[in-house]
Amino acid sequence: QVQFVESGGGLVQPGGSMRLSCAASGFSLGADPMGWFRQAPGKEPEEVACISMTSTIIHYSDSVKGRFTVSRDNIKNTLSLEMNNLHPEDTAVYFCATADLWAVPSRCRLDAHGYSGQGTQVTVSS
């Protein structure tokens, strides 16, 4: 059974930092591009950051570029997202999932036929 479990969410003040982790079981993260996505209330899921199998291709959405860093450890079978200088508009449920990723032009999307976790709530508020 494939399972992705996210952790590290919570409440943080604007300008603060937070690190999210995604642990996979029943699935080798090294077999697919992976991504972090988020969904705010009343909105569609949007991509945050995606990373290729060997970490050679990385895509960030314009809204998080320069503030967030995605990484993966295929041996530990984990995916991480380091978030700095958080804004209130970053508030959402963040989840990890398999992704479709392209280098040129740089873009990624949720793999509609893949796997995703339940997500972890990130709230940015003073």
Side-chain angles (χ1 to χ4, degrees), residues 75-96:
I75 295 177
K76 294 182 179 179
N77 221 26
T78 59
L79 182 74
S80 299
L81 184 69
E82 184 75 33
M83 306 184 292
N84 297 311
N85 189 22
L86 283 159
H87 304 162
E89 53 266 35
D90 293 319
T91 296
V93 173
Y94 286 70
F95 62 96
C96 60

Side-chain angles (χ1 to χ4, degrees), residues 2-6 22-24 27 29 34 96-98 115-118:
V2 176
Q3 191 173 20
F4 294 166
V5 178
E6 300 90 347
C22 170
F27 182 85
L29 289 185
M34 293 294 300
C96 60
T98 52
Y115 303 99
S116 62
Q118 292 295 312

Side-chain angles (χ1 to χ4, degrees), residues 102-119:
W102 294 267
V104 181
S106 178
R107 66 185 184 100
C108 78
R109 70 182 181 192
L110 189 65
D111 178 1
H113 303 288
Y115 303 99
S116 62
Q118 292 295 312

Side-chain angles (χ1 to χ4, degrees), residues 42-123:
K43 294 187 177 181
E44 292 293 314
E46 62 173 350
E47 87 278 9
V48 175
C50 295
I51 185 168
S52 64
M53 291 178 284
T54 56
S55 303
T56 52
I57 301 171
I58 295 177
H59 167 86
Y60 295 100
S61 69
D62 289 341
S63 61
V64 307
K65 197 173 297 181
R67 299 188 297 124
F68 290 12
T69 302
V70 62
S71 61
R72 67 191 299 161
D73 187 326
N74 291 339
I75 295 177
K76 294 182 179 179
N77 221 26
T78 59
L79 182 74
S80 299
L81 184 69
E82 184 75 33
M83 306 184 292
N84 297 311
N85 189 22
L86 283 159
H87 304 162
E89 53 266 35
D90 293 319
T91 296
V93 173
Y94 286 70
F95 62 96
C96 60
T98 52
D100 296 324
L101 175 63
W102 294 267
V104 181
S106 178
R107 66 185 184 100
C108 78
R109 70 182 181 192
L110 189 65
D111 178 1
H113 303 288
Y115 303 99
S116 62
Q118 292 295 312
T120 183
Q121 176 70 46
V122 172
T123 302

